[in-house]
């Protein structure tokens, strides 16, 4: 028999590792990439190093703003005070992220630039990379206090819209009506060079916050069929007379159930969160690029792997999922999940058994940069390893009984029998590995390398007889994104 305390320990470990995985995922959602960057071929950090950047006020060039009928209040322009305050807020973010370039979002030069009457028209020409009129160039030079570069800060586009989706989950007693309200904002920064009188850099970022409301209703065709026990605690709403008349139509839902649509999300904090992306996307000083990378960026990596080993001299293929983030510029921390792709079958005590395993744990790696295209990972996973030993004939018989009477289901309160066709075994494990990774630092990579699994001796007699092989070899495909 399996030690109950061991199973409880493994269960608690799984919950802990899953919680860590969710935390890592939630902290990885910030991206340092812009939607679009248009940079002059000869523009780099060396063009900026002896100069500074002056901001304009936030300029409203949204053009045709889209919104639902009667909701123009959701897309009203920023106030004059906000237009003047946002450049200083951007400057504070820029100073926090970059120590190599100074940006001014307030002060005498900023106040003079703010008084140029046709600044919106000038900004439109700058965004189109068109030459400015001599009179406009003179206005800028009379106001910028000899600061060479000017950041045209533009609110370039906005739209708000409702969305609706009708879902019928397979084998569920309910339907879902998903109501959404979303906002899409486009922010642009254009860097204009007063010395050369041209646009040298344009960055664009799109922010798209959304709110959601999900209504679940009992399916009208479910009738008196029994609700599966695992679904009995799902809360359902009471349908009204319109719910099933035309349930898949967005226009019908908007007309009959407008109050179910959530409020549109506010512009903040999504609007201001784009400032980091602009600050970290401008050209970097090559000598300080590593420092800025170290201080600001965490490279998140999703890794998929296939590995091969043996169980009782029978080949076993395994699937591997890893998510990790870079810490301290060379140390990676994440979580691992492993599961078998095939279940070896063995004859034991005149019965056939299928054996499968899975593992979940915390991964730690040191990442050594051997070259621009090659990295070496040395580390290990610490976690819980579980085995399932299934009585083939007993499982087949149980499935046959369930198919004959699919509505038969015993409550936990009245049930006196438990399934006997599955047994479990498990322990904690350590999985050290050496892995070579090939590919660019950001983007798609592929890798290979050996690993070793150290675990406690199995308690089940069949696993003691059919010993798992500890060594294996793995191939991986991964994607690394640059976040902070």
């Amino acid at each position: 028999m399996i030690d109950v305390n061991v199973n409880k320990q493994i269960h608690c470990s799984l919950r802990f590792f899953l919680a860590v995985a969710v935390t890592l995922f939630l902290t990885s959602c910030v991206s340092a990439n812009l939607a679009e960057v248009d940079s002059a071929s000869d523009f780099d950090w060396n063009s900026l190093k002896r100069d500074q950047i002056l901001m304009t006020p936030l300029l409203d060039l949204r053009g045709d703003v889209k919104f639902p009928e009667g909701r123009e209040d959701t897309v009203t322009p920023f106030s004059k005070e906000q237009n003047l305050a946002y450049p200083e807020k951007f400057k504070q973010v820029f100073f926090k992220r970059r120590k190599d370039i100074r940006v001014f979002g307030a002060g005498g030069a900023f106040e003079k630039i703010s008084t140029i009457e046709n600044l919106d028209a000038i900004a439109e020409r700058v965004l189109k990379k068109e030459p400015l009129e001599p009179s406009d160039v003179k206005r800028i030079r009379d106001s910028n206090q000899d600061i060479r570069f000017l950041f045209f800060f533009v609110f370039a586009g906005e739209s708000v819209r409702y969305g609706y989706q009708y879902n019928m989950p397979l084998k569920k007693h309910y339907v879902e009506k998903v109501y959404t309200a979303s906002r899409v904002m486009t922010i642009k920064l254009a860097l204009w060079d007063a010395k050369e009188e041209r646009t040298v850099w344009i960055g664009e970022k799109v922010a798209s916050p959304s709110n959601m409301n999900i209504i679940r209703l009992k399916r009208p065709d479910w009738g008196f069929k029994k609700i599966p026990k695992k679904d009995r605690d799902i809360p359902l709403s009471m349908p009204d007379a319109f719910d099933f008349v035309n349930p898949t139509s967005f226009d019908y839902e908007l007309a009959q159930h407008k109050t179910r649509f959530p409020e549109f999300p506010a512009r903040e904090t999504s609007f201001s969160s784009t400032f980091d992306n602009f600050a970290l996307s401008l050209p970097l000083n090559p000598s300080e690029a590593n420092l800025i990378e170290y201080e600001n960026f965490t490279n998140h990596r999703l890794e998929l792997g296939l590995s091969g080993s043996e169980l009782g001299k029978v080949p076993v293929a395994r699937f591997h999922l890893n998510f990790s983030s870079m810490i301290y510029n060379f140390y990676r921390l994440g979580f691992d999940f492993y599961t078998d792709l095939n279940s070896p079958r063995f004859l034991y005590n005149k019965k056939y058994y299928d054996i499968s395993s899975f593992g979940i744990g915390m991964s730690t790696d040191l990442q050594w940069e051997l070259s621009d295209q090659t990295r070496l990972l040395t580390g290990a996973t610490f976690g819980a390893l579980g085995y399932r030993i299934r009585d083939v004939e007993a499982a087949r018989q149980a499935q046959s009984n369930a198919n004959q009477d699919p509505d038969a289901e015993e409550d936990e309160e009245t049930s006196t029998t438990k399934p006997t066709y599955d047994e479990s075994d498990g322990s904690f494990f350590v999985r050290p590995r050496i892995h070579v990774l090939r590919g660019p630092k950001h983007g798609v990579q592929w890798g290979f390398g050996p690993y070793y699994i150290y675990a406690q001796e199995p308690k089940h007699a069949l696993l003691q007889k059919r010993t798992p092989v500890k060594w294996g070899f793995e191939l991986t495909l991964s994607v690394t994104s640059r976040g902070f």
Side-chain angles (χ1 to χ4, degrees):
M1 297 295 292
I2 306 303
D3 190 338
V4 174
N5 290 327
V6 172
N7 279 338
K8 287 183 177 179
Q9 290 177 355
I10 294 174
H11 179 69
C12 292
S13 299
L14 292 178
R15 293 177 62 184
F16 169 74
F17 290 127
L18 286 173
V20 171
V22 171
T23 302
L24 283 170
F25 176 77
L26 292 177
T27 58
S28 70
C29 295
V30 180
S31 170
N33 298 321
L34 296 180
E36 186 175 339
V37 173
D38 184 357
S39 180
S41 59
D42 58 346
F43 177 69
D44 58 19
W45 186 87
N46 289 315
S47 304
L48 291 169
K49 66 180 181 180
R50 296 184 183 88
D51 294 280
Q52 301 163 338
I53 302 175
L54 174 65
M55 300 283 295
T56 70
L58 180 62
L59 306 174
D60 191 342
L61 300 181
R62 291 176 296 166
D64 183 19
V65 180
K66 300 184 183 302
F67 55 87
E69 183 178 355
R71 293 309 310 268
E72 59 274 3
D73 60 308
T74 61
V75 291
T76 54
F78 283 119
S79 66
K80 181 179 180 181
E81 291 73 19
Q82 288 174 308
N83 291 337
L84 295 175
Y86 269 120
E88 176 62 18
K89 189 172 184 179
F90 177 87
K91 173 244 179 173
Q92 296 295 334
V93 172
F94 198 96
F95 179 76
K96 177 183 176 182
R97 297 296 183 187
R98 301 285 296 267
K99 302 297 189 296
D100 54 340
I101 304 172
R102 294 190 65 186
V103 170
F104 294 92
F110 175 79
E111 293 176 0
K112 288 184 178 180
I113 285 291
S114 302
T115 61
I116 297 178
E117 294 182 356
N118 63 332
L119 199 57
D120 286 355
I122 294 175
E124 288 180 346
R125 296 182 68 89
V126 168
L127 287 173
K128 296 176 182 178
K129 298 198 292 186
E130 297 177 353
L132 301 185
E133 297 292 338
S135 57
D136 292 331
V137 174
K138 184 177 185 304
R139 290 189 184 97
I140 293 174
R141 288 177 173 171
D142 289 343
S143 305
N144 64 357
Q145 296 183 354
D146 295 327
I147 297 177
R148 175 177 173 179
F149 292 99
L150 183 61
F151 246 151
F152 285 85
F153 189 15
V154 177
F155 191 12
E158 184 178 30
S159 65
V160 293
R161 68 182 184 88
Y162 290 122
Y164 169 72
Q165 186 174 355
Y166 182 75
N167 300 325
M168 295 184 65
L170 187 64
K171 296 182 180 179
K172 298 295 183 181
H173 65 290
Y174 59 86
V175 297
E176 290 180 340
K177 291 189 168 186
V178 183
Y179 303 86
T180 58
S182 58
R183 182 187 300 270
V184 178
M185 298 175 289
T186 302
I187 301 96
K188 292 185 179 182
L189 276 176
L191 191 63
W192 189 76
D193 186 343
K195 177 182 178 182
E196 299 186 6
E197 300 181 19
R198 63 174 182 140
T199 305
V200 293
W201 188 90
I202 301 174
E204 176 183 317
K205 183 66 179 178
V206 178
S208 52
S210 65
N211 291 330
M212 179 183 296
N213 179 32
I214 300 178
I215 302 293
R216 292 186 175 92
L217 308 169
K218 186 176 180 180
R219 286 175 53 169
D221 60 346
W222 192 261
F224 295 99
K225 289 191 294 184
K226 195 170 186 179
I227 299 174
K229 185 177 182 304
K230 62 181 179 180
D231 294 337
R232 292 175 190 172
D233 294 331
I234 296 176
L236 301 179
S237 300
M238 184 67 68
D240 60 25
F242 307 102
D243 266 312
F244 295 105
V245 175
N246 194 5
T248 61
S249 171
F250 166 74
D251 292 334
Y252 186 84
E253 287 297 317
L254 190 59
Q256 302 298 335
H257 299 129
K258 191 171 184 177
T259 57
R260 291 182 181 175
F261 287 87
E263 278 298 311
F264 288 107
R267 287 170 178 156
E268 291 295 355
T269 57
S270 296
F271 188 88
S272 296
S273 68
T274 65
F275 298 167
D276 286 293
N277 298 271
F278 290 106
L280 291 167
S281 295
L282 275 175
L284 303 176
N285 177 359
S287 64
E288 298 186 11
N290 290 336
L291 176 62
I292 293 176
E293 186 88 15
Y294 173 80
E295 290 182 342
N296 297 295
F297 290 103
T298 298
N299 295 294
H300 308 293
R301 177 176 297 150
L302 176 65
E303 181 179 281
L304 304 177
L306 291 176
S307 62
S309 187
E310 288 185 349
L311 177 63
K313 297 184 179 180
V314 177
V316 177
R318 292 194 177 99
F319 171 76
H320 168 211
L321 172 67
N322 172 267
F323 180 83
S324 64
S325 294
M326 184 78 81
I327 300 175
Y328 302 130
N329 210 35
F330 66 94
Y331 177 68
R332 302 196 71 85
L333 178 67
F335 79 94
D336 273 324
F337 174 76
Y338 310 92
T339 185
D340 291 350
L341 295 178
N342 64 306
S343 301
R345 179 168 295 181
F346 301 100
L347 181 63
Y348 177 71
N349 287 344
K350 300 181 180 180
K351 289 184 178 181
Y352 283 101
Y353 292 88
D354 288 341
I355 300 180
S356 59
S357 67
F358 72 95
I360 187 168
M362 187 80 69
S363 68
T364 59
D365 283 299
L366 294 179
Q367 179 169 302
W368 310 92
E369 301 289 334
L370 304 183
S371 70
D372 290 341
Q373 295 290 319
T374 306
R375 280 155 291 285
L376 180 66
L377 302 179
T378 57
T381 297
F382 307 84
L385 177 67
Y387 287 94
R388 186 196 70 185
I389 302 96
R390 168 162 290 186
D391 184 328
V392 177
E393 183 58 35
R396 186 181 295 117
Q397 184 62 42
Q399 183 64 40
S400 177
N401 294 338
N403 291 336
Q404 291 174 8
D405 189 6
D407 293 329
E409 183 179 340
E410 294 183 277
D411 292 334
E412 279 188 0
E413 296 81 358
T414 60
S415 175
T416 58
T417 61
K418 295 182 179 180
T420 58
Y421 53 83
D422 275 352
E423 297 180 74
S424 62
D425 197 349
S427 67
F428 295 101
F429 78 99
V430 180
R431 183 187 187 266
R433 71 166 179 170
I434 299 175
H435 204 72
V436 177
L437 204 62
R438 290 282 299 162
K441 185 171 183 178
H442 307 123
V444 179
Q445 305 95 27
W446 65 275
F448 60 92
Y451 64 87
Y452 180 84
I453 295 180
Y454 173 79
Q456 297 169 316
E457 183 179 346
K459 297 178 176 60
H460 197 281
L462 178 53
L463 289 174
Q464 291 178 350
K465 187 175 181 180
R466 306 290 186 178
T467 307
V469 173
K470 297 183 180 296
W471 289 96
F473 190 84
E474 184 174 43
L475 296 173
T476 62
L477 182 67
S478 55
V479 178
T480 303
S481 60
R482 191 188 197 199
F484 57 90

